[in-house]
Amino acid sequence: MTTISVTSLKKFANNKFLVFSCILFLIIALSAVTAYSISARQINLSFIEQQLSIASETIRLRLATSVDSELALVSKMADTPVIRQYFINPCNPVLKSRADDEFTLYKEHFNNKILYWVNDVDKIFYSTGNAPYVVNPDDPENYWYNLTLYETEKFIFNINYNPDLGQIYLWVNVPVFVKTETGKRPIGLIGTGINLTDFSDFVVSSYHKFDENITTYMFNKYNEITSAVDYTLVENKVRLEEHLGETGKELIRVARELPGGESRNFIYDKKMYLVNSIPAMEWYMTVSYPVPGLLSLNQAMNTVFFSMLALILLLFIIINAFVSNSENAMTNQNLQLLEANKKAEFASRAKSDFLAKMSHEIRTPMNAITGMAELLLRGELSCEARGYARDIKQAGNNLVSIINDILDLSKIEAGKLEIVPVKYMLSSLINDTVNIIRMRLREKPIRFFTNIDGNIPNSLIGDEVRIRQILLNLLSNAVKYTEKGHIGLTITIDKRDDKQIVLRMDVADTGKGIKPEHQANLFDEFVRVDMKKNQGIEGTGLGLPITKRLCAAMDGKLSMKSEYGTGSVFTVIIPQGIESKEPFAVVEEPERKKVLVYEGRVVYAKSICWTLENLAVPHAVVTNQEDFVATLYRAEWFYVFSGYGLYEKIKPLMNQDDSIFRGGKKPHLALMVEWGTEAYIPNVRFVSIPIQSLSIANTLNGKADRRDYFESSGVIRHTFPHARLLIVDDIATNLKVGEGLLSPYNTKVDTCLSGAEAIELVKRNKYDLIFMDHMMPEMDGIEATAVIRAWEKEFACQQIPIIALTANAVVGMREMFIENGFNDFLSKPIDVSKLDEILNCWIPAEKRANNNEQITTNKENKGQDKPSLPAIPHVDTAKGIAMLGGKSDTYRKVLSMFCKDIDERLPQLQIMPETNTLPAFIIQVHSLKSVSASIGAQELSSNAAGLEAAGKAADMVFIREHLPGFTVQLAELEENIRTVLSGSV
Ligand code: ADP
């Protein structure tokens, strides 16, 4: 569909281009024609102008010449002595006769031209071929009435019109003067006439051969019209400006500027005018040639220029129209595509919404089904029925896991997946992830290692839950598709700046691997590959697509390299914000802490070396006893890290006297134990596999997560008989543990089970120190502390030191608690020496008493107590007693309180948590993690840790799988403890 659209789009654009080219061509042709016609017209006009000029010049010359010759004639006659004498004596008949003869002679000579004289006696005119007209004003019939009379210095002009003849004459008169003593006196005049009617006809015919519309006027120096086609104008002595208005004024203005005999052309008001002068008469002649749209050359140029401009503009508009048309067409196409896209998206969202709703609806009855199956399995069943019940439970669990994945995917597709960046501790995230994976790996002979770059800041900002999900998906796949060998989680820094770090997380396995032909579509939904080989492995084919989409949603990416039969590496590169730059794990003075690693399991040896290298700790690795012996005494070692299984072999060597060792001091020993197999050996530190950089750093720095309780619980320096302490914990067992641990201090201890109660107690009593549990239902320790701090501000004069109790003892916690108003923190299970430190630090000196007797958390007691309590399966009672400062009676109390606690909590734990009850569930298992560690039930504690981590990762499949077993384990433990307690009392 897309290809068709693109082709039609191109076709459309091509057609448009053709149309556009044609239009362009037409425009160019049109402009050329316009330009040509304008120039042709201009040439034509110039030609007319020239012709008119010639015509008017001819006319002007003809008139001027006629006037001049007439003037010359009459002047000559006026100077004739015979005529002059007669004029002086008009009554003398002899003189009159002689003058007549002379006059006739002239007339004959000039071809009977009109010639006349006027004197005091003869007031007559003569006209050629006509009877003479008497100038008699009383007889208008025969009167060549005077139209106008003009005088120059020497001549008198007048124009007369004879309506009978329909002729107009210009009379040219010369006065005849007689000299007197005072000057000269006019005694008559001699005149001749020019037929202006003929002349006008000539003028008109001269012009009209160019154009009928040519008009011509003559006017005198008074601006009176002296010649026009319309004689009434002449007759009424109409002034040119009266007749032509502004044009007349313009003509007069131009005419006045003309020196004698010159002519000028000009354009005025769309007409071409030609003006010239006849100096002898001080007349002017104008000719106008109306040309609509007549332009001067300049104007013509302007016209051409503006036309071109207009054309360019037009072109621009057309191009724009074309482009926008194409764009419109494209937009239309795009809109259609968008519309289609929208519809597809809508359909997809509808599908996702439907899936989300259905998944949710299906999950509820599925819970009931698996729950019922679980109940069935707990009861008495025949072998066959048990098999069926197990199948129902298994199938139910699978179905729920599929539904959960679908729910996730549909959420992502429906755009409902929100990435919620929060501040989180990387150490905590890794701890939780490792806990879950370790639990999943229990039944497989697979070595699991983690290589975490200690330089990564511990406090990060990102969507912790989703990162956890990504890691768990990849690690769970590694567990699923690997039968033997190892699985490794490596987290390093890809890039970093001040605010952001790009983490690279590699999950490598030595599993089945993926065939090259399957790798391409591995991230597509519901794709499961190599089904023959993977038969029996549960899955939906949704894990990787979800992981890929989650990565993308967080601006990260997921890639994969795999070799069929050898293994796979899945790599996530993802940016996270840096909350605080403090690194994840640092060894203080690493160069002074040389480590000897004795580990036959190459994978673990390599991993621990990677970590030591990363922490800049000098180290050597040996893989067999011979090398170990050789190396142990050869150099001065700060620590020996060895596999737990090798302990028996190295014990004799390590137990040697200090003096045998280099530097005169034997190195410390740390044993690497598989998860859940933690044991107690005096003076030996246990580090859980997978070894984490943080554990190594803590070990080498001599910090927490020490398990050598006996050693650390040395001497109590002071008692606090005058102090009053409060312990807040939602688990009664923990309160008992606390009370037990504090009993040697001879101090008053109050306890309560909730934050709200604690606040009430603080208001009522004066405490010197409060131990506040972090995670509690309803109001947690942080909230309760905030309320107490607020109350203190108003009502108390000083702050009570509040110590946080937490089972989440990871790096960065201390800072978090201090930020939230706490003074310090104590990790659970409580380390007695740390407790002693805290009491001495925070309880005011005046409330102390010196402990002269030196109450010891006796090692001897340990020996006495141990037999007094028969062994409880899965409980290291010795460790439990040790953790209570060696007091077996306190331990008993704690154990019975533990049973009570379990009694209360078990019913709640037997219900599978829902999304809304998950937070409460996390708090429950979190509490159980610490409380079971306190009594020495390490396995139960680890299982609780696994469930807590799964809860945080909202990994319902894991919880569904492991919770029933956990509750059974819990119930069994309670049973066992009760049996032992009742028997031994
Ligand atoms: P699922 O595991 O539920 O089948 P996934 O989307 O997580 O679905 O994985 C898709 C397919 O990719 C699996 O069916 C499996 O064939 C293959 N696969 C994923 N991870 C690995 C791995 N680590 N080693 C080998 N094959 C793997």
Side-chain angles (χ1 to χ4, degrees), residues 477-478 480-481 509 513-514 522 527-529 534 538-545 568 570:
N477 272 354
K480 277 201 291 188
Y481 301 105
D509 65 54
I514 301 154
L522 207 60
V527 171
R528 305 202 68 217
V529 298
N534 293 340
E538 287 153 13
T540 54
L542 285 172
L544 288 179
S568 321
F570 285 82

